[in-house]
Amino acid sequence: MADAILTVEALTKRFGGFTAVDEVSFTVGQGEILGLIGPNGSGKSTIFNMIAGLLRPTAGTIRFQGQSVGGFSPNRICALGIGRTFQIPRPFHKLSILENVAVAGYFGQGRRVGKAEAWETAARALDMVGLAHGDHASVDTLGAAGLKKLELARALATNPTLLLADESLGGLDESEMDQAADMLERIRREMGITIIWVEHIMGVLMRVVDRVMVLDHGELISEGLPADVAHDPKVIEVYLGTDAGEVQASVGAAG
Amino acid sequence: MTAIPQDTPVRRLERRHVAAAIVAIALVSVPILKTQSEWFAYPMHIMVLIMIWSLAYTSWSLMGRFGLVSLGHGAFMGIGAYVTALLWNYAGLTPWLGIPIALATVALVAFIVGYPCFRFRIVGHYFALVTLALSEIVRQVIMATRDYTGGSLGFTPTPHGDGFSLYALQFSDRAVFYYIAFVAWVFGLWVWRRVDRSMDRYALDAISEDEDASAAAGVRVTREKLKITILSAVLTGLAGILYMQYQQFISPDTVSGIAISLQIVFAVVAGGIYVMLGPTVGAVITILLAESLRVAIGTTMVGLDTTIYGLLLVLFIIFLPKGVLGGILEWWRNRAAAGRERADRA
Ligand SMILES: Nc1ncnc2c1ncn2[C@@H]1O[C@H](COP(=O)(O)OP(=O)(O)OP(=O)(O)O)[C@@H](O)[C@H]1O
Ligand SMILES: [Mg+2]
């Protein structure tokens, strides 16, 4: 693996007596696309929220580019170079599509930028995800897929080195999901951004990621190459179930 | 049928500038008219009041338009006015130094109230309640220190010179103050426009919808809210100071307290909270209303105007939420859009 950009150790989050994330440790290499999968409520978004500063970890450490960032505020994390999308899109309805992204381009890059540069960054990010942005189009014209793209554009405009993409692609059809997968691949290739990609549909994710981690009830139960993970009996038991054959076929034989 | 020729943006812009220039010339020439006829003295006095209160209302709307509803702006007016006046009377400090000290005090109070609110996410009704308490606290402090402030009897700055003192900013010729108020009013509008065209405006709009998503996009939420709150408070304090220097008399009821805070909110909502000249229209409405009531029923029923403000506020929020100017502009745009559609169909 290349140099680690993010190192998470024994990360834990408890809500009252309920442990949503239980001593999870992992690293992400520079330039990697890491898949994070697991059933509903297994703690994927909670891990993202802790890394992105929205939730304070109950215990454990998060190191980003060598710096301990656990408990930092979200805007500070953003300035350091971690961009995130929300699983359920959270657009600003009072702002146009372009303005939504320009806010991120102006405030989120972690350095002083001019107004003009912010608008250019926003336009580029929207081009990257393939959203039209002329004419001050309203975000209310966007459908589910469009809002997901807007989330992604807003994260990209903050010029991240690490992107946390919470893409539980519910509500999208198969071609839209494939498009989303291709887009993440392209973001890595063209912008050199390291990505952690959360998803619960395994097939579409397996095609693109370098490595997968599987979460169940807040615990990491498997980690490795897509082909290995798809053949891991534990994963098959709690997660893949009857779909195992299909997913295994899509990733090939275990290495 | 041929299409109706449309205004090009350039032509529309020019027309707006011409209109603004005509209004400016008309406003600037009022004191000159007054030198010709005393009949203009009363309208001129009313206009000074309108311009000073417009500054206060415009300042309130700087943050109010982003859903930061403060019921504490009476406190900022009061602090500005009383600190300047007290320094003058008791320390002999010229307003030229007193005003910066007063405004710094306003900024400090705004910070002390704002920071914990924003840091701990006290928003919406709760923020309004905290600021409401501030209004009352400042009024109570003025009452409690009545040996110095005169309490509810009010406070008069010591006269200086023979009616024209640059040193004390005291001018018996109201024309001088008319121009000061005019400049202050224009300055308030200029600040409003600068904020409107800044990136902070987008950040504050975003914050008003979703603080977490704004922070995730890199916006320093607490800092942005503090910045606009302090700016708004300081300009409101300046309006309080101007009011004091002009009237040469202040009392808790005229520049501080909950009644003034509510009047500010009412005026802005009535005029239009989201448009630059909305608060100014609100000032015209409230001051003409207060003056009419005073002329019609005298000063026997103190507080009647506040009651009427309250009633009107409810009616406006229900029937004209964008305010008089906001409502008119919207109606105008809709009409223009309908006209274009008709032209397109033809
Ligand atoms: N703020 C919170 N307070 C209390 N419980 C929470 C909170 N946030 C998440 N949880 C709980 O923590 C668990 C993990 O939630 P999380 O959103 O991380 O799951 P997820 O893996 O992202 O699920 P999904 O695939 O449905 O998005 C769930 O049981 C959830 O109800
Ligand atoms: Mg989730």
Side-chain angles (χ1 to χ4, degrees):
Chain A
M1 197 197 300
D3 298 339
I5 187 171
L6 185 81
T7 311
V8 170
E9 264 166 47
L11 192 62
T12 302
K13 181 72 198 178
R14 275 189 279 276
F15 296 110
F18 171 73
T19 306
V21 175
D22 196 3
E23 303 210 359
V24 169
S25 303
F26 62 91
T27 60
V28 188
Q30 180 87 47
E32 202 180 12
I33 299 186
L34 174 67
L36 177 54
I37 60 173
N40 284 322
S42 54
K44 305 182 294 294
S45 298
T46 304
I47 289 180
F48 270 17
N49 283 334
M50 284 189 282
I51 299 172
L54 194 57
L55 290 177
R56 182 176 282 275
T58 309
T61 57
I62 303 165
R63 297 182 77 80
F64 176 63
Q65 293 178 326
Q67 183 182 8
S68 176
V69 299
F72 279 21
S73 63
N75 53 279
R76 201 160 159 209
I77 298 280
C78 174
L80 287 174
I82 302 181
R84 65 92 47 96
T85 70
F86 288 98
Q87 180 174 359
I88 298 162
R90 293 165 79 161
F92 308 123
H93 297 275
K94 287 181 195 164
L95 305 182
S96 74
I97 292 172
L98 183 60
E99 287 162 356
N100 260 271
V101 186
V103 168
Y106 188 78
F107 293 96
Q109 295 203 47
R111 62 186 172 89
R112 238 175 209 297
V113 299
K115 259 190 190 182
E117 189 186 343
W119 292 103
E120 281 162 25
T121 306
R124 264 202 313 277
L126 283 162
D127 286 337
M128 187 74 194
V129 302
L131 264 190
H133 48 77
D135 239 19
H136 283 252
S138 154
V139 292
D140 299 321
T141 60
L142 296 174
L147 288 172
K148 283 262 169 206
K149 289 178 183 172
L150 181 63
E151 275 293 321
L152 203 51
R154 214 160 63 187
L156 291 179
T158 67
N159 191 19
T161 27
L162 172 66
L163 173 67
L164 310 177
D166 200 339
E167 298 266 314
S168 295
L169 300 174
L172 304 191
D173 63 35
E174 203 159 318
S175 79
E176 281 170 334
M177 283 194 268
D178 276 334
Q179 243 180 36
D182 292 340
M183 196 180 295
L184 287 177
E185 171 89 276
R186 203 152 47 88
I187 286 167
R188 188 235 324 241
R189 201 174 54 238
E190 290 178 18
M191 304 175 82
I193 297 174
T194 306
I195 299 172
I196 308 180
W197 180 13
V198 157
E199 178 56 84
H200 33 55
I201 301 162
M202 220 169 166
V204 60
L205 175 133
M206 291 302 209
R207 220 162 39 77
V208 179
V209 299
D210 303 310
R211 249 178 348 121
V212 204
M213 300 190 308
V214 185
L215 216 56
D216 184 43
H217 288 112
E219 289 178 56
L220 210 53
I221 58 165
S222 180
E223 187 192 344
L225 299 173
D228 296 337
V229 169
H231 288 93
D232 184 332
K234 262 193 292 186
V235 177
I236 295 170
E237 185 195 325
V238 307
Y239 191 56
L240 292 175
T242 50
D243 292 341
E246 202 178 307
V247 173
Q248 284 162 359
S250 79
V251 294
Chain B
M1 200 171 106
T2 56
I4 303 158
Q6 291 298 309
D7 276 350
T8 63
V10 174
R11 266 184 57 195
R12 226 178 301 142
L13 204 70
E14 279 172 359
R15 211 197 281 160
R16 252 167 80 163
H17 285 168
V18 168
I22 291 171
V23 171
I25 290 168
L27 287 176
V28 166
S29 49
V30 168
I32 300 165
L33 291 173
K34 196 217 147 210
T35 61
Q36 303 304 310
S37 156
E38 270 308 307
W39 186 89
F40 285 100
Y42 179 66
M44 194 172 90
H45 165 64
I46 295 300
M47 286 174 72
V48 173
L49 290 182
I50 287 176
M51 290 190 286
I52 291 174
W53 283 103
S54 291
L55 174 62
Y57 299 162
T58 305
S59 313
W60 184 89
S61 79
L62 283 177
M63 61 190 286
R65 65 181 291 207
F66 300 115
L68 292 166
V69 175
S70 158
L71 296 178
H73 270 47
F76 300 133
M77 280 194 94
I79 294 170
Y82 272 93
V83 169
T84 310
L86 289 168
L87 284 173
W88 169 246
N89 278 30
Y90 295 112
L93 200 63
T94 164
W96 293 101
L97 293 173
I99 290 172
I101 292 173
L103 294 182
T105 310
V106 170
L108 184 69
V109 171
F111 178 84
I112 289 170
V113 174
Y115 183 76
C117 280
F118 302 149
R119 185 72 183 69
F120 299 109
R121 294 270 187 109
I122 295 170
V123 294
H125 307 321
Y126 297 101
F127 179 68
L129 281 177
V130 170
T131 53
L132 185 74
L134 176 68
S135 283
E136 188 55 18
I137 289 168
V138 168
R139 206 182 68 90
Q140 292 294 343
V141 168
I142 295 170
M143 302 299 266
T145 54
R146 61 175 60 78
D147 290 349
Y148 303 97
T149 61
S152 57
L153 295 177
F155 188 81
T156 306
T158 312
H160 185 261
D162 53 359
F164 184 96
S165 168
L166 211 54
Y167 180 73
L169 278 182
Q170 293 175 358
F171 310 105
S172 60
D173 181 2
R174 293 190 152 163
V176 179
F177 235 97
Y178 181 93
Y179 287 117
I180 293 175
F182 179 74
V183 170
W185 171 63
V186 172
F187 176 68
L189 297 180
W190 177 78
V191 171
W192 190 97
R193 167 140 302 190
R194 283 219 38 162
V195 170
D196 189 56
R197 294 185 172 176
S198 69
M199 293 304 289
D200 298 293
R201 197 261 282 185
Y202 298 111
L204 287 161
D205 266 333
I207 289 169
S208 74
E209 277 193 67
D210 189 333
E211 294 200 356
D212 287 338
S214 307
V219 174
R220 297 157 87 167
V221 175
T222 302
R223 193 181 139 113
E224 286 296 323
K225 288 168 89 170
L226 262 181
K227 257 167 48 181
I228 199 72
T229 301
I230 290 173
L231 179 66
S232 168
V234 165
L235 280 181
T236 305
L238 183 64
I241 294 167
L242 290 175
Y243 183 85
M244 181 271 295
Q245 294 288 359
Y246 175 63
Q247 299 284 48
Q248 287 293 297
F249 173 77
I250 42 174
S251 71
D253 295 330
T254 50
V255 289
S256 83
I258 293 172
I260 295 297
S261 297
L262 289 177
Q263 176 194 322
I264 294 175
V265 178
F266 165 68
V268 178
V269 171
I273 190 167
Y274 302 111
V275 282
M276 182 176 71
L277 286 170
T280 299
V281 170
V284 173
I285 294 171
T286 48
I287 283 158
L288 292 187
L289 185 70
E291 280 298 298
S292 318
L293 286 174
R294 197 175 59 79
V295 171
I297 25 183
T299 48
T300 46
M301 291 182 67
V302 178
L304 182 63
D305 51 348
T306 319
T307 313
I308 293 181
Y309 288 158
L311 274 175
L312 285 175
L313 180 60
V314 173
L315 292 176
F316 266 106
I317 288 173
I318 296 171
F319 295 109
L320 201 57
K322 289 194 171 161
V324 169
L325 187 63
I328 289 173
L329 289 177
E330 189 179 57
W331 174 80
W332 194 264
R333 264 195 300 272
N334 287 346
R335 219 185 62 139
R340 266 198 304 280
E341 242 169 60
R342 233 175 296 128
D344 286 347
R345 272 204 305 276

